[in-house]
Amino acid sequence: MKILGIESSCDDTSVALIDITGNKINILAEKTASQIEIHKKYGGVVPEIAGRKHAEQITPVVEEIMKDFEKPDIIAVTSGPGLITGLIVGVETAKTLSYLWDIPIVGMNHIEGHIHSVLIENEKEGRKRNINFPVLSLVVSGGHTEIILSKEQGRYKKVGGTRDDAAGECFDKVAKLLEFDYPGGPKISKFAEAGNPKAIDFPRPMIHSKDFDMSFSGLKTAALYHLRDHPNTDKNDFCASFEQAIVDLLVSKTLKATKKYNPKTIILAGGVSANKKLRNTLEKEIKKVSPQPTFTFPLLPYCMDNATMIAVAAYNHAKNKKFTAWNKIQADPSWKIYNNFR
Ligand code: KG4
Ligand code: ZN
């Protein structure tokens, strides 16, 4: 089945064409036009500008992806959650192509895409990613921090998540205090490599709460006050201690959920899953749990937003004929993965 994926929920205009049968995913073409250079000037994504840029980029990117191929069998488009200005561009493009080519659309949930990003392999690494249910997913990005349980394919239950900022947002906002360019998460983790994670005792809000929820805004404020009161603080130590606090929160709540729900597979996905400290700590801690679940995370290029994961995640819906008519599909900026299908 040939699936054209379209992703434009934040600041990446991404299009991919895959051929998928059973467990075999063949990526025929993929391209992401990033807007980071534009949003950098503003220290974050400006929705109005993002929408305009998506509108400019989407047609040339689709043209480039399709230049050597006939029409696909299906279009998979992110219809939520995300920025409405970007989602609309992707959804309207999908509608037009669906009408033109007379092929069905699968309206995809962005978080469901991130969860399926772990299925994407490349020839160099060729890791087999067998997913056994129940699956517990920690999806951490600039917009989301959620722990999600799936007892079967395509069914999702919210276990916990952030009560305020997303973990990636917290990384980016604190990076801004350090005058790092947006998105600053990767730069914080780079500085952290040379620092002492115990140098500053940052708070870990809600770490001892009985539920699986987290909070990051208090940590962000503590980071702000620390920099105000210690202007000459060692940047490496600051980054290492701050990163450690985020990792501790994410890992402790994921482990707590693991002990309660006994998943067979644990997935770490979303932009922050690129963070090595988080990957390594979670892997190490999961090994201590008995019976030990399989731990998996995406290849680096698929941690960030990309259309390939959207196309891959759409496959099961397409097999079950869960399509949305081109004249019915709508962008839904606050679509929760555990509510329903589109
Ligand atoms: O999934 P994504 O591309 O976009 C959203 O859906 O939000 O995630 C981007 C986020 C940004 O907040 C970025 O700072 C963060 O992922 N990020 C990292 C790292 N790489 C990306 N945060 C911490 N450490 C990293 N290595
Ligand atoms: Zn994302």
Side-chain angles (χ1 to χ4, degrees):
M1 188 188 290
K2 283 202 180 63
I3 305 180
L4 181 75
I6 299 176
E7 157 62 41
S8 57
S9 67
C10 190
D11 57 349
D12 291 302
T13 317
S14 186
V15 180
L17 182 67
I18 64 163
D19 193 356
I20 178 165
T21 19
N23 285 335
K24 184 94 196 83
I25 301 162
N26 187 9
I27 301 169
L28 302 174
E30 57 185 352
K31 183 172 173 151
T32 298
S34 167
Q35 302 176 3
I36 281 183
E37 286 307 316
I38 302 154
H39 297 291
K40 246 182 198 172
K41 283 183 250 157
Y42 306 96
V45 179
V46 183
E48 157 84 13
I49 296 174
R52 285 186 199 201
K53 275 285 147 198
H54 283 303
E56 272 171 33
Q57 314 252 42
I58 194 101
T59 308
V61 179
V62 170
E63 266 189 330
E64 193 176 330
I65 292 299
M66 292 307 299
K67 70 178 187 303
D68 297 324
F69 301 97
E70 298 289 306
K71 68 175 191 175
D73 302 304
I74 287 184
I75 299 172
V77 63
T78 304
S79 48
L83 298 175
I84 186 68
T85 52
L87 292 169
I88 281 180
V89 174
V91 168
E92 292 304 316
T93 306
K95 278 185 189 177
T96 311
L97 293 173
S98 157
Y99 181 75
L100 183 74
W101 287 330
D102 193 20
I103 59 170
I105 305 180
V106 179
M108 281 304 308
N109 182 289
H110 181 75
I111 303 297
E112 192 172 23
H114 274 302
I115 291 173
H116 285 74
S117 65
V118 300
L119 297 172
I120 309 168
E121 302 169 349
N122 69 10
E123 274 167 22
K124 258 189 277 152
E125 302 201 24
R127 285 189 276 167
K128 278 274 157 276
R129 286 152 214 273
N130 290 330
I131 305 297
N132 295 306
F133 293 91
V135 174
L136 190 74
S137 303
L138 171 64
V139 182
V140 240
S141 70
H144 310 274
T145 298
E146 293 181 59
I147 303 176
I148 297 160
L149 179 72
S150 310
K151 289 195 177 154
E152 56 183 292
Q153 180 66 51
R155 298 270 155 221
Y156 304 94
K157 183 185 146 124
K158 180 167 183 175
V159 168
T162 182
R163 296 257 181 106
D164 39 57
D165 291 352
E169 189 182 356
C170 185
F171 265 114
D172 295 340
K173 284 180 177 165
V174 169
K176 206 170 167 183
L177 301 175
L178 294 167
E179 294 176 358
F180 293 165
D181 276 348
Y182 171 84
K187 194 136 187 213
I188 290 199
S189 67
K190 192 89 208 102
F191 273 78
E193 279 171 22
N196 172 10
K198 293 193 177 133
I200 306 159
D201 187 18
F202 282 121
R204 277 110 170 113
M206 295 186 69
I207 200 161
H208 298 301
S209 72
K210 289 208 172 73
D211 52 23
F212 306 98
D213 285 349
M214 297 157 246
S215 160
F216 294 97
S217 69
L219 172 58
K220 185 184 63 190
T221 312
L224 171 74
Y225 289 160
H226 183 88
L227 287 174
R228 184 196 61 189
D229 299 339
H230 307 85
N232 297 322
T233 195
D234 181 279
K235 266 193 187 161
N236 296 333
D237 285 351
F238 175 89
C239 290
S241 305
F242 168 74
E243 180 185 62
Q244 187 67 55
I246 292 201
V247 168
D248 284 351
L249 265 171
L250 293 169
V251 170
S252 89
K253 293 294 176 154
T254 309
L255 278 187
K256 193 171 183 175
T258 302
K259 285 173 193 153
K260 172 155 185 201
Y261 295 103
N262 289 314
K264 291 211 173 102
T265 306
I266 296 182
I267 290 175
L268 170 65
V272 182
S273 70
N275 185 284
K276 282 201 210 110
K277 178 113 195 178
L278 177 60
R279 287 179 171 198
N280 296 342
T281 314
L282 200 50
E283 186 153 37
K284 197 175 88 205
E285 292 302 318
I286 287 168
K287 285 208 174 112
K288 296 181 191 161
V289 177
S290 158
Q292 202 189 100
T294 308
F295 175 56
T296 180
F297 46 81
L299 295 170
L300 267 184
Y302 302 104
C303 292
M304 305 300 166
D305 290 348
N306 65 90
T308 308
M309 69 184 191
I310 299 301
V312 168
Y315 178 59
N316 285 305
H317 297 309
K319 270 199 311 191
N320 296 324
K321 306 238 176 307
K322 295 243 182 230
F323 300 125
T324 314
W326 69 267
N327 53 355
K328 295 258 165 64
I329 189 165
Q330 276 187 351
D332 179 353
S334 50
W335 177 8
K336 302 272 183 272
I337 185 175
Y338 23 85
N339 280 355
N340 48 17
F341 294 98
R342 282 298 122 94

